[in-house]
Each structure stands twice: as structure tokens, then as C-alpha cells.
Amino acid sequence: MLAAWLLAGGGAIAWLVGAYRAAEESRAAISDRDLGLRRTALADDRVPPVVAYTGESPGNNARIPRSYEGAPPLIPHNLEGMGPITREENFCVACHASGSTDPADPPQVPKSHLIDWRAAPGVLREQVAGARWSCTACHVRQSTVPALVQNTFGSSGRD
């Protein structure tokens, strides 16, 4: 019985074992220089560049265009004295959810921010929905920094 099994299937098993061993031997280790975006050894840690944020007090700064259509707009002013955002307090909504339609006033939050898409989809509320309350989870300060890697990703032209 064992002899019949070896004649019928033993050759296939031996071939699989041989193929596995050949694959293991040809597999080379990946250098830490080839992992991620760094292109340097992980042990060659460098101090990151200092990021110079643009913008002074609110209302006096030019806005950088969005990176792509649908991207959250960048924050064009400093945030000193405006945080942290807590459950009870959010300095962003004091200006950006005031309901003003005057073009000279800060841009207002879009209607999508007034809908709680989890608990009440389609219901337009008067206040920013809880999932949108932490503004700096999506919106970040404007800065001019070099790209980590070269790319052809372009702006949509919207600000």
C-alpha cells in the first residue's frame, strides 16, 4: 500500500518540497534602505526640518489652493489661543459656523458638516455634527515644505 502511494503521489510531494526549498534559497533579504519613503537606513535618523507655517491672525492671509478636488481646505491663519478643541468648546465654529453670508467674513462650514451621517442622515441641523466637531482631524495649517518624494499630483485650483 505504501509503495503504491509513493508511486502515485510521492513524486508530486517530492517536487513540491524541492520547489519550496528552491524558492527559500532564492529569496533575498530586503534592505532597510529599500523600505518606505526614507531611502536611508533607519539607523541614520535625521532631525526633521522645521516647518514654517504661513499666516498670521485670522482674516489677513491668502489661502493656498486645495491639493485635489474634495480635499479639506487648509487653515490660513495661526491657531494660537484657539485650542484645544474639546467637547464643550470649539473656537473654529465661533467664526466659521456663524451663519454669515458676507463674502468678507470667514468661509462658513458646508452643509455636509451640519448633517450627522451616522445618527440622522439627511437631517440638516443648526450646529456642526459631532463627527465633524474636531476640525483639525481633517483641516491642517498651511505650510510650505518640500515634498518627501517627487510626484505629479496637482492642485484642483480651488482654495
Side-chain angles (χ1 to χ4, degrees):
M1 185 76 147
L2 178 61
W5 178 81
L6 287 173
L7 287 175
I13 292 173
W15 180 85
L16 285 173
V17 169
Y20 176 78
R21 285 186 180 149
E24 283 294 311
E25 290 171 3
S26 68
R27 204 176 285 163
I30 298 173
S31 164
D32 64 350
R33 292 180 190 277
D34 295 329
L35 295 174
L37 299 174
R38 294 176 63 107
R39 300 296 179 231
T40 61
L42 295 175
D44 298 341
D45 202 6
R46 298 176 301 207
V47 176
V50 174
V51 176
Y53 291 106
T54 58
E56 296 300 324
S57 60
N60 300 317
N61 310 293
R63 289 185 272 175
I64 295 176
R66 298 179 192 207
S67 298
Y68 55 91
E69 186 63 35
L74 299 172
I75 302 170
H77 57 78
N78 71 40
L79 298 175
E80 290 184 32
M82 296 186 185
I85 295 172
T86 65
R87 184 176 177 174
E88 293 79 24
E89 189 168 41
N90 181 333
F91 285 93
C92 303
V93 298
C95 295
H96 295 282
S98 66
S100 174
T101 57
D102 186 342
D105 285 343
Q108 298 298 293
V109 296
K111 289 184 179 180
S112 62
H113 286 43
L114 305 177
I115 299 171
D116 186 341
W117 295 99
R118 296 176 191 160
V123 177
L124 189 64
R125 298 175 179 210
E126 291 185 24
Q127 294 183 336
V128 173
R132 305 289 188 127
W133 186 252
S134 184
C135 307
T136 52
C138 298
H139 302 276
V140 296
R141 294 271 317 273
Q142 290 183 162
S143 63
T144 305
V145 294
L148 290 174
V149 294
Q150 292 296 326
N151 67 72
T152 59
F153 199 69
S155 170
S156 67
R158 284 186 60 198
D159 59 354

